[in-house]
Amino acid sequence: MKEMLTESAHAYKEGRMDRRTFLALCGASGIAMNAVLAGDAQAAADHVVMWNWGGQSVECHGSAIGEAFTAATGKGVKFDTSGPLEGKIKEMVDSGNVTADVADADLFNAVSLGPTGHLEPIDYSIVSKDKTLPGYALEHGVSVILYGYAFVYDTEAYGDNPPKDWKDFFDTANFPGTRSLYKWANGSLEAALMADGVAGDALYPLDMERALNKIKSIKDDSIYWGSGSEVHSMVVNGEVTMAMIWQNRGRNIENDTDGRFKLVNNQAMAMPGAYIVPKGNPAGREAVMQFIATAQEVPAQLMLLDCLGMTPSNPAAFGEIPEDQQPYAITSAMNIDKIVYNDPTWWGENGGDAVNAFLEAIS
């Protein structure tokens, strides 16, 4: 009986057995050990565990996606806020102790972890390719939101001649002052190339030598940040006159500085935030795919924008973005023709080397 229930639990979690049959088998057991086993499997079947970075994200994902998911399926949502770094995902899957169902990650993680067998493929009979942007529905991950690398500038430092694009950001002669850049390379390399004259639709494959030379050209005027709170503090404390930031941080910075610092979304780099599913997720493939499909719906997308400032990736939501959010949402009608799209495949295949080269250049 134990072996049968164990196999049944695996079959249910992998979507090879329906819920009713599995519960009937659990009910047919009557042995304490089997009851415990059935209870563990049932507990996993009754909720999905989202793996993210904690903070406000828990509240926002719970209200924007969790409530609708629970109403539709009867399943709850729990959170693991320890942060789904690639190394942690590999360790979890390789150890066979998979405790998370869906990871709030980047789409390039799907490119790097999918081929190594660490992720479940996305089931596009449940998840919709049409509810994300072209090129952002991949075999092992799908973009559910976008975030943007943009910049803010000090209006008091530049007066009637404000910086308008990355060329101005890197022009320390005409726009003097200290800059802040992200120290993990994403976005910085693309910004450097656009500042050096590369068109936004011709960035990939990245010309690393050209990008790094441009980065080095303002090295003496730059400091680097590793977290959103860190760059936020740099700006509001007056350590820099310009800072590359996530566009949702720009909204908070404008508010916290009473408009002294202004967000520029021109040439903002649109980054596909994505959901990826660790191989052998405990709640099973069908449940987690339903959760992802819920996240794609327009109401969930707009609630995440309002709560977290993350921009919708479902084109059906673009026209529903409220007027007061238009300046900060990179896929709003105000901004969508100005942005540049990240290539997750290039970053998934080359990200490790790119980050190392960038760190060496700024050290």
Side-chain angles (χ1 to χ4, degrees), residues 225-299:
W225 56 270
S227 69
S229 59
E230 188 177 9
V231 67
H232 193 114
S233 296
M234 287 177 181
V235 173
V236 299
N237 293 333
E239 294 180 64
V240 297
T241 56
M242 293 193 213
M244 168 181 282
I245 43 86
W246 293 311
Q247 111 286 340
N248 60 325
R249 276 279 176 183
R251 180 179 64 177
N252 298 338
I253 287 172
E254 283 193 1
N255 291 334
D256 290 349
T257 62
D258 294 325
R260 173 172 172 171
F261 278 82
K262 185 172 178 55
L263 174 68
V264 177
N265 270 318
N266 186 31
Q267 296 181 321
M269 173 61 56
M271 300 291 295
Y275 288 169
I276 57 177
V277 179
K279 188 75 173 180
N281 71 293
R285 279 174 47 78
E286 182 175 349
V288 75
M289 295 303 156
Q290 289 173 334
F291 178 84
I292 295 172
T294 302
Q296 293 185 301
E297 296 299 324
V298 171

Side-chain angles (χ1 to χ4, degrees), residues 52-77:
N52 65 13
W53 300 89
Q56 194 177 10
S57 179
V58 171
E59 173 192 344
C60 295
H61 281 87
S63 59
I65 306 168
E67 291 179 7
F69 173 73
T70 299
T73 66
K75 303 177 193 296
V77 178

Side-chain angles (χ1 to χ4, degrees), residues 298 302 305 312 314-323 326 331-333 336:
V298 171
L302 294 177
L305 171 64
N314 181 349
F318 296 174
E320 305 295 328
I321 294 172
E323 185 173 351
Q326 293 267 334
T331 50
S332 70
I336 194 165

Side-chain angles (χ1 to χ4, degrees), residues 86-163:
E86 283 197 3
K88 289 183 178 180
I89 296 172
K90 288 181 178 178
E91 181 179 355
M92 179 181 283
V93 174
D94 290 343
S95 69
N97 184 29
V98 179
T99 58
D101 293 294
V102 57
D104 188 8
D106 283 280
L107 197 51
F108 59 75
N109 296 132
V111 178
S112 54
L113 292 176
T116 59
H118 291 92
L119 300 178
E120 295 284 352
I122 301 298
D123 184 347
Y124 286 108
S125 70
I126 300 174
V127 177
S128 173
K129 289 187 175 181
D130 293 333
K131 293 179 180 177
T132 193
L133 288 168
Y136 285 175
L138 305 182
E139 182 177 0
H140 293 96
V142 58
S143 176
V144 290
I145 55 94
L146 299 173
Y147 61 96
Y149 285 107
F151 71 89
V152 293
Y153 70 91
D154 186 348
T155 58
E156 294 187 8
Y158 302 116
D160 295 333
N161 182 36

